Amino acid sequence: MRVTIGTKWYDKVLTVLLIVIFSPLILFLLLVACPFLACEYRRSKKAYDKSPYYAAFKKKFTMGITTDPVYRVYNGAAARNLPLRFPDHVDDKIDGLSYFFYGDTLYLLPNFEQMGLSEDGRAVWQVNCNGEWVDFGEDYAATRVQAMYPKHTVKFLVERSMITVCDLTVTPPPACVLVTQSYETAFESEDAALKLRIPQSSADLYGMMCATPDLCGEFELTEDGQGIRWRIREDIQITLGVDLRDCYIGVDKLLFGKIESGITHWHPTVYEIYGEVCEIGLRGNVLVLSQRAGSGAVLYSGKKGDCPYKPDKKVLFGKYYYIEAK
């Protein structure tokens, strides 16, 4: 005879007590989060409704669609008038993968989150799909798609931040992979050697900055070599720090040219920090910040022509910074 043992009475009482104790906190968190989520939803939908992607495909807005690789590649290409050819139905896939054509090449957008070398001594390329690392071998999708489209070259378009190998000049990716700095700027300066390296220290990042043409401002390593001071404008200083676990970008307003007054800071990954430096400081780019009640936020960084904010924008009960690299 099978006996089912129910939950003991004191377990039920404890559960009820915990709900009663923490329900005010849960309610408070919901009240705080809901306006923020609603504001973020409206902001994202407004940007989406104005996008070339929506104009072309009329796909219904959903949260997360603006981070989809197809959306990012399409809008980036449209802004630069690149003749990319997507399927008429943008959700169509080949072998489960989103795709597009550019010239004689068919580009596949990955269904994996990361790409790196195996750690079992074989030194073969692997990809991380839903937490499981599998070999990126001859049986992977590019080979199968190539058989379906024999008149085209078939390549994966992979963002640099997805690849865990730090120096691709030493260990190049597979031939069927094109590495791009970001999907928004795909096919732009793809021969740039600097995108192949990931800085391992602040000194590495400093060397990459020195080798980057058109990076504005004056920068130097700190005395201990653990950070970089970057005077991007006479009254604005950016502090950079590289750590394999947690990088740092901090922006300060310089009072009287010397006293640092914090505006905001954030923590990019080691794979992102060089790209963010370029977005902030390449000639003609802008960094837009807002500051309210001692808390700052990055509104935009990138090309001036794509910036949705005006240099003379007014902010109620706060401060506004429009920092152009020149």
Side-chain angles (χ1 to χ4, degrees):
M1 180 178 177
R2 181 175 296 174
V3 178
T4 301
I5 302 175
T7 305
K8 293 183 173 62
W9 68 269
Y10 49 80
D11 287 336
K12 294 180 179 179
V13 172
L14 180 60
T15 300
V16 171
L17 285 174
L18 289 174
I19 291 174
V20 171
I21 292 170
F22 288 104
S23 57
L25 176 61
I26 294 170
L27 180 60
F28 172 76
L29 291 175
L30 287 174
L31 290 173
V32 171
C34 285
F36 172 79
L37 293 175
C39 181
E40 180 63 20
Y41 180 90
R42 289 193 298 269
R43 186 194 66 80
S44 296
K45 187 177 186 304
K46 184 178 179 181
Y48 178 77
D49 290 343
K50 294 180 178 179
S51 69
Y53 179 93
Y54 177 72
F57 302 112
K58 301 299 181 184
K59 190 174 178 180
K60 184 178 179 181
F61 174 79
T62 56
M63 287 301 290
I65 195 170
T66 57
T67 61
D68 185 270
V70 177
Y71 177 86
R72 297 171 59 201
V73 170
Y74 188 91
N75 287 334
R80 292 171 288 148
N81 295 315
L82 293 184
L84 273 56
R85 305 188 308 281
F86 284 77
D88 292 336
H89 299 285
V90 72
D91 290 328
D92 286 352
K93 298 181 186 296
I94 300 177
D95 205 23
L97 299 165
S98 299
Y99 69 98
F100 64 90
F101 296 90
Y102 184 36
D104 294 328
T105 302
L106 186 159
Y107 287 97
L108 301 169
L109 293 169
N111 59 350
F112 50 82
E113 293 83 41
Q114 288 180 298
M115 187 172 193
L117 292 174
S118 63
E119 297 180 349
D120 56 9
R122 294 179 299 146
V124 300
W125 284 94
Q126 294 186 319
V127 293
N128 184 346
C129 297
N130 299 319
E132 181 182 359
W133 286 91
V134 297
D135 286 357
F136 189 83
E138 289 298 321
D139 61 340
Y140 211 78
T143 304
R144 296 195 295 272
V145 175
Q146 183 70 74
M148 298 165 61
Y149 291 85
K151 294 183 180 180
H152 291 80
T153 301
V154 176
K155 288 181 177 289
F156 276 90
L157 184 65
V158 180
E159 278 192 304
R160 183 63 179 91
S161 61
M162 298 170 63
I163 301 177
T164 61
V165 174
C166 292
D167 194 341
L168 294 179
T169 61
V170 175
T171 310
C176 65
V177 172
L178 175 65
V179 181
T180 187
Q181 191 68 41
S182 75
Y183 285 136
E184 287 83 358
T185 60
F187 311 111
E188 185 176 291
S189 302
E190 299 296 22
D191 57 345
L194 287 173
K195 74 171 182 182
L196 301 177
R197 293 173 50 206
I198 297 298
Q200 301 295 285
S201 65
S202 295
D204 278 352
L205 180 60
Y206 175 75
M208 294 171 70
M209 291 172 68
C210 289
T212 303
D214 287 333
L215 191 64
C216 298
E218 300 177 356
F219 39 88
E220 62 181 0
L221 274 173
T222 57
E223 291 75 9
D224 59 5
Q226 299 302 304
I228 299 169
R229 283 188 292 263
W230 182 13
R231 186 76 68 92
I232 193 168
R233 201 171 73 183
E234 186 176 346
D235 62 333
I236 298 291
Q237 179 173 284
I238 298 175
T239 302
L240 306 169
V242 175
D243 186 282
L244 297 183
R245 296 162 298 179
D246 189 25
C247 296
Y248 175 87
I249 300 179
V251 186
D252 293 285
K253 182 174 177 60
L254 295 177
L255 305 177
F256 309 108
K258 294 181 180 180
I259 303 173
E260 298 175 6
S261 176
I263 299 173
T264 190
H265 75 277
W266 63 98
H267 297 274
T269 67
V270 71
Y271 302 101
E272 297 168 336
I273 190 166
Y274 174 70
E276 297 205 11
V277 165
C278 291
E279 285 189 347
I280 293 169
L282 287 181
R283 191 175 309 281
N285 285 8
V286 295
L287 172 65
V288 183
L289 309 172
S290 69
Q291 188 179 34
R292 289 187 178 91
S295 176
V298 178
L299 300 180
Y300 176 83
S301 63
K303 292 183 178 179
K304 181 179 179 180
D306 298 333
C307 181
Y309 300 96
K310 297 180 179 179
D312 56 352
K313 176 181 171 67
K314 303 298 182 183
V315 177
L316 189 63
F317 305 121
K319 296 181 179 180
Y320 175 79
Y321 299 90
Y322 186 95
I323 305 163
E324 182 176 353
K326 55 184 179 179

